[in-house]
Amino acid sequence: MSITKIGASPIGILPRREPVSLPASLALIEAVEQMSEKKRGAAVVIDDEGKLIGIFTIRDLIRDVDHSDHKWHGRPVSEVMTPAPTCVSEGDTLLTALQTMEKGNFRHLPTVDSEGRPTAILSVRDILAEVAQQFPKEFVNLPARPRRPSIVPWGG
């Protein structure tokens, strides 16, 4: 497969990981525990109908919470989440997703269905894993620092 074909592939080709879904009223400490348990760096925040209203990421936790005061544990996710996040649908291409992530400086991008319900969270890691799978020889043989000449045959 060529890199052009990968870019034109729909997001739906990637293995889907169930998103961590949180109600807006959930305490931050509980949100962090759920994300940690599922080893996720982001979670979708949904309303009572299951529609996406926000995204909560580890970056939000680091940037927007005063950790010197443990009162943050009880704050609701809605106070820290990014409301109305940019989304993609499963029919969008990997290239569209990457461009959206790069333009917005996002590491995670919710995927939603036609009714605005989250179906997954796409991460840069997910896309890179797909590209590496399609081009294993090229990825395995890249030197750790491509601008520096390799002194060993296996690129590291």
Side-chain angles (χ1 to χ4, degrees):
M1 180 178 282
S2 72
I3 194 70
T4 305
K5 286 184 182 178
I6 290 175
S9 300
I11 291 167
I13 70 163
L14 298 175
R16 178 179 297 172
R17 290 187 300 157
E18 184 90 15
V20 175
S21 297
L22 311 171
S25 61
L26 188 69
L28 282 174
I29 193 68
E30 292 177 46
V32 170
E33 288 170 356
Q34 286 185 33
M35 291 166 62
S36 177
E37 183 180 297
K38 294 191 177 180
K39 297 182 175 146
R40 298 293 201 299
V44 293
V45 183
I46 56 172
D47 65 14
D48 294 337
E49 296 175 7
K51 293 185 179 180
L52 182 72
I53 59 170
I55 186 169
F56 173 66
T57 68
I58 295 301
R59 189 186 282 183
D60 295 325
L61 181 68
I62 292 168
R63 184 185 55 214
D64 299 336
V65 172
D66 176 8
H67 298 277
S68 65
D69 181 356
H70 287 284
K71 290 180 184 174
W72 72 265
H73 288 201
R75 288 176 65 190
V77 172
S78 61
E79 290 183 8
V80 181
M81 73 179 190
T82 301
T86 302
C87 303
V88 290
S89 69
E90 293 206 8
D92 287 331
T93 65
L94 292 177
L95 181 59
T96 298
L98 273 174
Q99 288 172 334
T100 302
M101 293 169 103
E102 195 276 326
K103 183 179 178 184
N105 195 26
F106 308 137
R107 291 184 223 167
H108 298 92
L109 196 58
T111 303
V112 295
D113 64 17
S114 61
E115 296 177 11
R117 290 185 176 85
T119 58
I121 293 183
L122 183 63
S123 73
V124 172
R125 183 180 295 171
D126 297 330
I127 296 171
L128 288 176
E130 178 64 24
V131 173
Q133 184 176 346
Q134 297 298 325
F135 297 97
K137 182 179 176 187
E138 289 83 353
F139 267 78
V140 170
N141 290 319
L142 283 178
R145 295 187 179 120
R147 292 187 179 143
R148 297 176 86 186
S150 294
I151 56 173
V152 292
W154 50 87

